[in-house]
Amino acid sequence: MDLSVVIPIYNEAENVEALCKEFIETLNAWGRSYEILLVDDGSTDDSFARLCRLQATHPQLRVIQFRRNFGQTAAFAAGFAHARGRFIATADGDMQNDPRDLPAMVARLEGQAPGDPVVYDIVCGWRKDRKDTFINRRLPSVIANWLISWATGVKLNDYGCSLKVFRAEVIKPLRLYGEMHRFLPALASEMGVRIAEQVVNHRARQFGTTKYGISRTVRVMLDLITVKFLLSYSTRPLQMFGLVGLVMGGLGGAVLVYLAYIKYFQSQGIGDRPLLMLGILLVFTGVQLLTVGLLAELQARTYHESQGKPIYVVRQILEAPDRPDRDDDSTV
């Protein structure tokens, strides 16, 4: 199968029928094999009932129902686990993403885009002309995109756009938690993937209400700390904790040496000086951070070895084909 499209659904009863019709018509016209995985994330309206009716008449649809609301990241993870396509696309269920952008995005994964022969591993949508309110949607998104690009080193204009296409071998091994679905390009960058960004059509929401808000932006910022650690220090945590510990311990040691000097060489009392407590605190904190770093090193090894998780990823191997063995007495 060429393409699997994963779409989380949460209380989108007014959208699901038009959504499925639009995706089916677009992908049928595309002319290649596909499936659409609709993940009902514990909807409390009749979204699932409508999905069941649609699936009964359209074999291209597969419906996954959660027992309760687990969030968009969990819905994407379930879709990735059940997807059967060589390429896996993601989209929102609010009809703001245009499925007509998908064929061109897949073409870039296959190196068939006009004027761009590079074969990419991930193609991300960019809602350049975004149809959302400025204060509570676009402004927080601009700030978040800048922070994520700066922290991860993967510079994208629109991390929040759900319309993305991935190679299956890139996206399936990733483990997602929290709100990390928007960090997928950054998480995959650890494998040395090629990422492209493409301007896509964005439409205003016609039915239903948005599930996004300022509170989700705060959660995204907290998850960014986790992503930064995973990308930079997951295989060498001691270099982060140990460096801070050495700096703090060094400063504390210098303070204590200074206090010892003025006590023994200048005969001044130091027992009532706040600087003494600061020096002791810095030394003890430095030792604790070094200890935390060592423990984190042990956990990192357990994490990688228990899962058989490699510390490197091979894109391809080029070598001469094996030649059949010749008899020792063969003549040239």
Side-chain angles (χ1 to χ4, degrees), residues 130 140-150 156-160:
R130 185 171 176 179
S141 180
V142 168
I143 297 172
N145 288 326
W146 180 83
L147 281 173
I148 297 170
S149 296
W150 171 76
L156 295 176
N157 292 289
D158 193 359
Y159 268 92

Side-chain angles (χ1 to χ4, degrees), residues 170-187:
V170 168
I171 196 65
K172 278 182 171 286
L174 298 181
R175 297 293 178 263
L176 304 178
Y177 305 93
E179 298 283 338
M180 289 192 180
H181 65 276
R182 69 187 62 249
F183 298 110
L184 285 171
L187 291 171

Side-chain angles (χ1 to χ4, degrees), residues 50-68:
R50 298 191 184 198
L51 290 174
C52 289
R53 291 195 295 268
L54 289 165
Q55 196 279 327
T57 57
H58 298 284
Q60 307 97 323
L61 303 182
R62 298 172 65 196
V63 179
I64 302 170
Q65 185 187 28
F66 283 174
R67 291 183 179 273
R68 64 172 179 83

